[in-house]
Amino acid sequence: MKKIKRIVVSLALCCFTAFTTVPVFAATAKIQSWHLVDSGKHLDWSGSSAYIGQFQGAVDEWNGYKSGVIRKDTAATIKDVTISDYTEKSNVAGVTSSSGTIRFNTYKMGDYTIAKRRYVCTHELGHALGLAHNQSGDVMYQYVSSVTHLSSNDKASYDKSYKRY
């Protein structure tokens, strides 16, 4: 009887563990072939946008992980990135180019919550830092979400890109 009881308890524990275990995704640090960080390891930006508050929040998020990399352009620095807005009927919310621009589509951004706008700003800055699209739950996921904090995978990708600067 004791042996049967132990088997039942063991099976119950196995079933409980199987249904309550959260899957863990392996880090897949992904970077692009280009970035906009200068030789001094800074990304100096200027320009204007209707989403400047969310953009500054995105700057703070990235700088919270690696302090002082992203800075507002001053007379003493050379601008690496210009931010601006544009309007286009499309599903694209933001675009970062290797030529040094980050542009936000007011057609899409205007309908988003503050969190989604911040996501787009954080995501586009990630491209400027050299990060490529990655998995769900990351700021660098290719589809708009409300994720506004860097995942461990975002940080691993940033670490990998940072070594190139």
Side-chain angles (χ1 to χ4, degrees), residues 45-52 55 79 81-87 92-97 99-107 109 120-121 124:
W45 66 273
S46 68
S48 63
S49 170
Y51 315 104
I52 200 69
F55 184 80
K79 175 183 63 177
V81 176
T82 301
I83 64 166
S84 63
D85 297 334
Y86 72 103
T87 302
V92 176
V95 177
T96 301
S97 74
S99 63
T101 62
I102 297 176
R103 300 173 61 221
F104 302 109
N105 185 359
T106 59
Y107 178 78
M109 294 282 278
V120 172
C121 293
E124 294 307 325

Side-chain angles (χ1 to χ4, degrees), residues 3-23:
K3 187 175 183 178
I4 293 173
K5 193 173 185 179
R6 275 191 239 149
I7 291 171
V8 170
V9 169
S10 294
L11 284 172
L13 284 173
C14 287
C15 290
F16 178 77
T17 302
F19 290 110
T20 59
T21 302
V22 177

Side-chain angles (χ1 to χ4, degrees), residues 116-129:
K116 285 186 177 183
R117 290 177 187 169
R118 171 121 177 242
Y119 166 85
V120 172
C121 293
T122 307
H123 178 92
E124 294 307 325
L125 268 173
H127 285 312
L129 293 167

Side-chain angles (χ1 to χ4, degrees), residues 10-88:
S10 294
L11 284 172
L13 284 173
C14 287
C15 290
F16 178 77
T17 302
F19 290 110
T20 59
T21 302
V22 177
V24 176
F25 297 101
T28 55
K30 294 182 181 177
I31 59 173
Q32 305 172 137
S33 61
W34 57 272
H35 61 80
L36 301 176
V37 178
D38 61 34
S39 60
K41 294 194 176 199
H42 292 106
L43 180 72
D44 299 309
W45 66 273
S46 68
S48 63
S49 170
Y51 315 104
I52 200 69
Q54 291 83 41
F55 184 80
Q56 188 58 56
V59 168
D60 294 344
E61 184 66 27
W62 287 109
N63 280 344
Y65 182 60
K66 292 200 184 294
S67 182
V69 173
I70 305 169
R71 311 180 299 187
K72 186 158 176 47
D73 189 38
T74 68
T77 61
I78 297 171
K79 175 183 63 177
D80 302 305
V81 176
T82 301
I83 64 166
S84 63
D85 297 334
Y86 72 103
T87 302
E88 174 184 273

